[in-house]
């Protein structure tokens, strides 16, 4: 196999494992809730809220490894994007006319939003999964969640705007 096909295969496997891990981690605490085995559960408190969390170590280790990989790749990839696109646009703008489109600015915006989510959201998730507790202060927990969800909202809307810009560009090119 050639290296590009191996990289494509690994990318497909990794991207298909992400939703599966997310589904497993969200459904796992609800499986087998008919019998309450108090040996394997720990009560986790975050402010005034309490929840029962299953202490299956293999699943938690898998989640921590997955989120650590996302943290490293997401941080490095978004920083590289934020540095590379403006550099190539300024230095070689005439050779790459596609970089003059409005959607390129939105891609930079998306990369910045992803970087913020990676730097704020994932360390908090890793803390919760690894140490089994969130921030001690309820205000900090509230504002971390608020900021993380706000950045995710910006991220989703930026993706929608990129698709609108690309669709408009393609439609206008066909009409004219």
């Amino acid at each position: 196999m050639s290296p590009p096909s191996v990289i494509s295969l690994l990318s497909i496997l990794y991207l298909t494992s992400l939703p599966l891990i997310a589904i497993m981690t969200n459904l796992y605490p609800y499986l087998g809730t008919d019998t309450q085995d108090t040996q394997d559960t720990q009560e986790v408190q975050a402010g005034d809220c309490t929840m029962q969390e299953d202490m299956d170590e293999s699943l938690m280790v898998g989640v921590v490894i997955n989120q650590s990989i996302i943290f490293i790749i997401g941080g490095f990839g978004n920083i590289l994007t934020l540095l590379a696109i403006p550099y190539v646009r300024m230095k070689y703008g005439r050779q790459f006319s596609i970089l003059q489109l409005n959607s390129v600015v939105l891609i930079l915006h998306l990369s910045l939003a992803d970087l913020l989510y990676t730097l704020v959201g994932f360390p908090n998730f890793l803390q919760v999964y690894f140490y089994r507790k969130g921030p001690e202060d309820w205000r900090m927990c509230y504002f971390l969640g608020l900021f993380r969800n706000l950045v995710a909202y910006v991220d989703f809307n930026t993706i929608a705007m990129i698709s609108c810009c690309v669709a408009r560009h393609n439609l206008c090119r066909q009409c004219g």
Side-chain angles (χ1 to χ4, degrees):
M1 285 182 116
S2 66
S5 62
V6 170
I7 291 173
S8 298
L9 179 64
L10 289 175
S11 299
I12 290 170
L13 288 175
Y14 181 71
L15 291 175
T16 54
S17 71
L18 288 178
L20 292 175
I21 290 174
I23 291 169
M24 284 179 11
T25 56
N26 285 321
L27 292 179
Y28 190 77
Y30 300 109
L31 299 176
T33 57
D34 296 338
T35 59
Q36 289 292 337
D37 186 10
T38 57
Q39 285 181 323
D40 292 340
T41 60
Q42 174 185 6
E43 198 167 298
V44 178
Q45 295 183 350
D48 295 335
C49 303
T50 61
M51 75 174 179
Q52 294 280 329
E53 186 174 293
D54 196 357
M55 300 293 290
D56 186 15
E57 291 299 319
S58 62
L59 181 64
M60 291 303 145
V61 167
V63 169
V64 168
I65 289 171
N66 183 43
Q67 289 186 349
S68 298
I69 291 170
I70 292 171
F71 179 74
I72 292 168
I73 292 173
F76 179 71
N78 287 313
I79 288 172
L80 186 64
T81 302
L82 286 170
L83 293 175
I85 289 178
Y87 175 76
V88 172
R89 188 174 181 176
M90 287 186 323
K91 192 91 167 164
Y92 306 104
R94 295 188 188 269
Q95 294 173 358
F96 299 100
S97 62
I98 195 165
L99 292 178
Q100 304 306 321
L101 297 176
N102 293 335
S103 58
V104 174
V105 175
L106 289 171
I107 289 173
L108 288 172
H109 188 265
L110 177 66
S111 186
L112 180 64
D114 284 343
L115 182 64
L116 286 174
Y117 192 85
T118 301
L119 294 177
V120 173
F122 283 121
N124 189 29
F125 284 145
L126 290 174
Q127 177 189 7
V128 168
Y129 281 120
F130 193 67
Y131 295 113
R132 308 278 197 271
K133 65 178 189 173
E136 296 293 328
D137 185 25
W138 69 269
R139 288 179 193 92
M140 182 65 141
C141 185
Y142 174 78
F143 286 115
L144 276 173
L146 177 72
F147 185 75
R148 185 180 64 237
N149 290 339
L150 180 67
V151 170
Y153 184 71
V154 168
D155 201 344
F156 298 149
N157 284 316
T158 305
I159 292 171
M161 290 304 300
I162 290 171
S163 65
C164 289
C165 283
V166 170
R168 184 188 64 145
H169 176 74
N170 288 337
L171 287 174
C172 290
R173 186 174 42 182
Q174 289 175 357
C175 294

